Amino acid sequence: MAGELILIIEDNEKNRKLARDVLQVKGYQTIESETAEEGLILALEKSPALILMDIQLPGIDGITALKQLRAEPKTQSIPVIAITASAMTHNRQTMLAEGFDGYQTKPFSLKDFLGEVERVLAAARS
């Protein structure tokens, strides 16, 4: 469903811009943060439909940030996709076991990236 708000938490400006541009072309609204700390505040204030969370962030890492989101009643049900540069097969299982709703590796395959966003949003709606 186009128009949904997606929060991008990513410290790399090029990766943030790529995700933003691809999502906006598909009709999604986006907000962004370079740090998990700022992203947690935005998640509370804006209640996005989905969060894209880089795992390796300065300060709080993505896994710790996910635990904080899940501990907060207002954000606990927001789906979160883990974004990581590590493409090892076991990482996908590890991230899903940590409680992420989806998993995407960098650099993005645009088709796979959009497919994962749409899959997680559809699952959250149903």
Side-chain angles (χ1 to χ4, degrees):
M1 186 181 310
E4 289 167 303
L5 182 64
I6 299 177
L7 170 57
I8 303 163
I9 304 175
E10 165 67 67
D11 61 324
N12 180 289
E13 187 178 345
K14 287 180 179 170
N15 290 336
R16 219 172 36 250
K17 180 182 181 338
L18 176 62
R20 174 183 66 230
D21 291 351
V22 168
L23 292 168
Q24 288 180 357
V25 162
K26 289 296 182 180
Y28 296 105
Q29 298 176 54
T30 60
I31 51 176
E32 302 167 30
S33 168
E34 290 183 39
T35 67
E37 292 86 347
E38 182 187 2
L40 291 168
I41 293 166
L42 283 171
L44 273 170
E45 290 174 353
K46 305 291 185 182
S47 297
L50 174 67
I51 298 172
L52 302 177
M53 177 84 69
D54 186 19
I55 299 304
Q56 299 296 322
L57 291 163
I60 298 175
D61 65 61
I63 294 170
T64 303
L66 176 71
K67 290 178 178 161
Q68 291 182 22
L69 286 166
R70 296 296 186 242
E72 169 60 48
K74 191 168 181 212
T75 59
Q76 66 186 3
S77 64
I78 299 172
V80 182
I81 296 176
I83 307 288
T84 179
S86 179
M88 304 301 271
T89 314
H90 69 278
N91 283 355
R92 180 181 190 85
Q93 285 85 14
T94 301
M95 291 300 119
L96 296 176
E98 288 286 354
F100 286 94
D101 300 278
Y103 178 84
Q104 192 63 56
T105 58
K106 297 184 273 189
F108 297 139
S109 150
L110 296 185
K111 182 181 173 198
D112 291 347
F113 172 68
L114 283 171
E116 187 73 343
V117 166
E118 290 165 9
R119 182 192 70 75
V120 171
L121 282 171
R125 285 192 291 268
S126 60

